[in-house]
Amino acid sequence: MKIGITCYPTVGGSGVIATELGKLLAERGHIVHFITSDMPFRLGKFYPNIFYHEVEVNRYNVFRYPPYDLSLASRMAEVAQTEKLDLLHVHYAVPHAISAYLAKQMVGEQLKIVTTLHGTDITVLGHDRSLSDIIRFGIENSDCVTAVSQDLIDETKQLLGVDKPIEKVYNFVDKREFYPRDMEEVKRQMAPHGEKIIIHVSNFRPVKRTQDVIKVFAQVRKNLPAKLLLIGEGPDTSVARQMAQELGILKDVRFMGKQDNLACIYSLADLLLLTSEKESFGLVALEAMACGKPVVATLTGGVPEVVEEGKTGFLLPIGDVDGMARKIVELLSDEEQYSLFSARSLDRAYYEFCQEKIARQYEEIYQRVVYGQAQPSSF
Ligand code: GMT
């Protein structure tokens, strides 16, 4: 099939999933055209059947706000026509689903639209009255809509009053990349006295409640020698640093900034801490699990669909700093329980969320929207 993919290419889990999916589809024989404002950041190696079409925005000085949505729609229509695309798969509802709708109007009904909802496009933007109607319009005018968790489906239906069926297609992890690596040597350098290493990976936006990460770690450290690795960067990075300083724990906190080689970093840690206010899925939890690391997280959004309470991690109410710290200490102090959690995390990531399973799910959806039904043979 010839598939156009649009996403936010440089930030966040939605861009990661869209890019990784494009790579998988290319490996499975499809022709993939990324239509994005920048080169997708996880594209990595060269694929002969992946093409990149940059969206250029006209910055004419009459425009107070350059019309990205229109430039995107126009580029989508152009690529769809010249490359004879079967469908556009857009990640994140705004503006991508709306631009895809415009492109379809320009090209004709044969161009199908699959929209994947990732979270904040609904849970944050869906609350904005200036956007909610057009988000609903984008959803209703897609040929198929998917969301990354049941929780996000329920919230979309409730918040926007959407009747259209929304299919659940979870995030996935590529087990050829995310698997436990031998990082003992580096671990010894970072934690020379055998301290436990807790890791937090995020974009440090307020929704991640990064201050809670620091508070939880401060509690843990009272009971257990430990180090905290913070991966990523964002508006709350400096707030977190200041809090670590105030709590007198800065020497045990490493601010690593944005990092590429996440599988190695997860592998040298003992546990992932995720304190988000909202998380439609929690891709970082899945990536950590695929490296054999249990997760202590907040009970929010789609996280319980990923992390099984009491089996692969623990889920606590949002803001329950003491509870999260208690569970971390409990898990990291009990070797037998820790090994069990680690093994179960690995199994769950591989069997429930592996790349082949999710790629097949998307392929079935593409077949249905393009041919009207799933085809028995591969394309
Ligand atoms: O988590 C973020 O802030 C980035 C955000 C995005 O839009 O890229 O991630 C969302 O999509 C990911 C991929 O589907 C999910 O795993 C994240 O849970 C989701 N983030 C939120 O819901 C806050």
Side-chain angles (χ1 to χ4, degrees):
M1 273 189 161
K2 293 181 178 162
I3 302 157
I5 295 184
T6 293
C7 62
Y8 287 108
T10 52
V11 280
S14 60
V16 171
I17 289 296
T19 310
E20 295 293 337
L21 176 63
K23 285 155 55 175
L24 279 179
L25 293 169
E27 284 171 18
R28 295 166 78 88
H30 303 279
I31 297 171
V32 175
H33 292 266
F34 281 99
I35 309 166
T36 49
S37 56
D38 257 307
M39 179 70 95
F41 72 117
R42 277 223 196 158
L43 209 46
K45 71 174 203 209
F46 172 74
Y47 294 80
N49 48 344
I50 293 187
F51 300 82
Y52 166 54
H53 307 269
E54 188 166 317
V55 180
E56 278 171 31
V57 181
N58 188 315
R59 298 192 184 276
Y60 185 51
N61 56 15
V62 165
F63 295 139
R64 184 162 171 210
Y65 305 106
Y68 173 70
D69 318 2
L70 300 183
S71 301
L72 173 61
S74 172
R75 194 81 164 122
M76 284 169 157
E78 180 205 325
V79 176
Q81 271 166 331
T82 53
E83 304 294 341
K84 303 203 170 10
L85 296 187
D86 293 301
L87 65 101
L88 289 168
H89 185 174
V90 297
H91 295 258
Y92 215 84
V94 272
H96 302 155
I98 322 301
S99 300
Y101 170 79
L102 282 178
K104 183 170 178 157
Q105 297 302 304
M106 293 165 77
V107 170
E109 275 297 309
Q110 74 281 6
L111 179 66
K112 304 299 179 192
I113 304 172
V114 175
T115 297
T116 292
L117 309 175
H118 281 274
T120 46
D121 44 356
I122 302 302
T123 56
V124 176
L125 301 176
H127 285 276
D128 182 339
R129 280 294 299 132
S130 72
L131 290 174
S132 54
D133 285 348
I134 202 154
I135 295 174
R136 186 184 312 106
F137 179 85
I139 289 174
E140 279 169 355
N141 285 284
S142 298
D143 295 286
C144 178
V145 181
T146 76
V148 298
S149 62
Q150 186 58 45
D151 184 79
L152 185 57
I153 294 176
D154 297 344
E155 183 156 358
T156 306
K157 293 198 162 201
Q158 198 205 355
L159 186 66
L160 298 175
V162 172
D163 285 335
K164 193 182 180 75
I166 301 178
E167 299 190 32
K168 181 176 69 184
V169 185
Y170 285 133
N171 285 181
F172 60 92
V173 74
D174 190 333
K175 58 189 182 200
R176 295 166 300 179
E177 168 70 15
F178 287 91
Y179 59 89
R181 316 281 182 108
D182 180 4
M183 296 298 290
E184 281 312 308
E185 183 73 38
V186 186
K187 191 169 181 177
R188 263 195 299 278
Q189 285 168 27
M190 297 188 107
H193 307 293
E195 297 93 333
K196 298 292 183 188
I197 299 184
I198 296 165
I199 187 175
H200 171 77
V201 183
S202 80
N203 50 22
F204 290 71
R205 287 190 294 144
V207 70
K208 305 291 175 181
R209 295 180 67 101
T210 321
Q211 288 99 315
D212 283 358
V213 174
I214 304 292
K215 289 184 203 161
V216 170
F217 179 66
Q219 297 275 18
V220 169
R221 240 182 99 275
K222 288 183 189 157
N223 299 284
L224 199 78
K227 301 275 183 193
L228 176 65
L229 288 192
L230 296 174
I231 311 296
E233 221 167 36
D236 284 348
T237 306
S238 52
V239 186
R241 189 186 293 275
Q242 195 182 334
M243 180 172 273
Q245 173 123 45
E246 281 164 13
L247 294 174
I249 54 171
L250 194 56
K251 71 173 176 45
D252 288 323
V253 182
R254 244 186 223 230
F255 289 83
M256 309 282 300
K258 290 182 186 165
Q259 295 283 331
D260 263 345
N261 209 334
L262 285 176
C264 289
I265 301 173
Y266 290 122
S267 296
L268 66 82
D270 292 292
L271 177 143
L272 178 95
L273 173 60
L274 191 62
T275 52
S276 306
E277 176 97 39
K278 193 80 192 172
E279 204 64 69
S280 65
F281 182 90
L283 180 59
V284 293
L286 175 59
E287 289 176 343
M289 286 163 62
C291 295
K293 307 304 162 174
V295 176
V296 169
T298 38
L299 181 53
T300 182
V303 178
E305 294 171 58
V306 186
V307 179
E308 283 183 304
E309 162 66 22
K311 288 187 173 166
T312 61
F314 290 109
L315 300 172
L316 284 301
I318 296 162
D320 183 359
V321 168
D322 292 344
M324 286 186 261
R326 212 171 28 251
K327 286 298 181 189
I328 290 176
V329 173
E330 179 189 314
L331 193 52
L332 295 182
S333 310
D334 180 343
E335 254 176 56
E336 205 176 314
Q337 191 187 28
Y338 180 85
S339 305
L340 205 57
F341 273 52
S342 166
R344 286 200 208 113
S345 298
L346 205 58
D347 274 7
R348 184 162 170 74
Y350 283 6
Y351 295 113
E352 297 298 323
F353 305 101
C354 72
Q355 78 271 21
E356 292 99 348
K357 180 174 172 178
I358 306 298
R360 267 201 306 275
Q361 252 181 293
Y362 279 122
E363 280 177 337
E364 277 168 26
I365 288 171
Y366 299 161
Q367 287 178 332
R368 230 184 306 126
V369 298
V370 173
Y371 304 121
Q373 59 178 40
Q375 306 279 296
S377 58
S378 62
F379 303 109

